[in-house]
Amino acid sequence: LELDSCIATVASLPFPEIPTIIPDAHVDLLAVLLTEGNYTQSTVRFSTGDTKIVNIMTEACKVIENTHIEFLENYDYGFTQGPQGRKGRGHKSPIRYFLESYGIGHEKADKKRIPKIIFQLGREQLSRFLSIFWMCDGYVNLRSIEIGLASPGMLEDIQHLLLKFGVQSK
């Protein structure tokens, strides 16, 4: 092959015959934390200026062991625990356990990947994941629909997921 060579590729990929089902709140949390999240340190944060994303995260956190989001500064949000929003100290936070349960560690932006379970979701939950993912890091202009990510691996993962809907991309 040479640069600019044409090759045949699949037009679409099938959904699993028996899809995995996870709570919608988990789908939402994963989509936002993969795009807007920073989890390289012991704490987990996300950044957004979009109130829709803040609302999605507020609702989604209700299923994670009494976890709430907390405005920090500028557009940054963190996670607190307990009825008064107490910060957990001396142990892993429930949100860190949540990430680890899906195989997400302390990756920097350029090393992030889509968790394997996302590839096993059915049409409805994958659509939900991609729509929130795109809401965070995607955009539409007059000529195309695009997404900006630092991770080449995550871009490949998104291309793979889009093929399940018959959407080819470059």
Side-chain angles (χ1 to χ4, degrees):
L1 291 175
E2 295 178 10
L3 190 58
D4 295 326
S5 294
C6 290
I7 60 170
T9 60
V10 296
S12 66
L13 293 172
F15 281 91
E17 286 184 30
I18 303 172
T20 299
I21 299 170
I22 61 175
D24 285 342
H26 289 201
V27 173
D28 299 352
L29 284 164
L30 288 169
V32 174
L33 289 173
L34 285 166
T35 54
E36 308 291 6
N38 178 340
Y39 40 82
T40 60
Q41 307 299 317
S42 60
T43 59
V44 178
R45 296 176 167 205
F46 70 97
S47 298
T48 187
D50 188 335
T51 56
K52 289 180 184 177
I53 299 299
V54 173
N55 292 338
I56 287 169
M57 292 299 276
T58 299
E59 286 301 308
C61 281
K62 291 179 180 178
V63 303
I64 306 293
E65 192 184 318
N66 205 22
T67 298
H68 312 277
I69 65 168
E70 170 187 46
F71 177 74
L72 301 172
E73 60 185 354
N74 299 324
Y75 297 107
D76 288 339
Y77 294 83
F79 298 91
T80 61
Q81 301 158 252
Q84 274 67 45
R86 219 175 55 252
K87 290 187 179 180
R89 300 216 193 289
H91 65 283
K92 286 183 189 176
S93 71
I95 202 74
R96 174 59 68 191
Y97 279 116
F98 167 79
L99 288 170
E100 289 176 357
S101 75
Y102 286 105
I104 299 171
H106 296 266
E107 296 85 5
K108 292 184 177 181
D110 63 336
K111 301 294 183 206
K112 289 181 181 181
R113 296 299 299 253
I114 303 294
K116 290 181 175 147
I117 198 159
I118 299 298
F119 293 87
Q120 300 165 3
L121 297 177
R123 180 178 300 276
E124 187 176 310
Q125 283 199 307
L126 182 56
S127 175
R128 181 184 189 105
F129 175 83
L130 288 172
S131 68
I132 293 171
F133 195 93
W134 225 271
M135 187 186 309
C136 294
D137 275 353
Y139 55 96
V140 177
N141 63 39
L142 293 175
R143 288 186 234 158
S144 61
I145 299 169
E146 301 181 22
I147 195 158
L149 299 170
S151 169
M154 196 151 57
L155 285 169
E156 290 173 6
D157 293 343
I158 291 296
Q159 283 183 302
H160 181 104
L161 294 172
L162 288 172
L163 279 174
K164 290 181 178 258
F165 293 99
V167 176
Q168 296 182 4
S169 59
K170 62 178 184 173

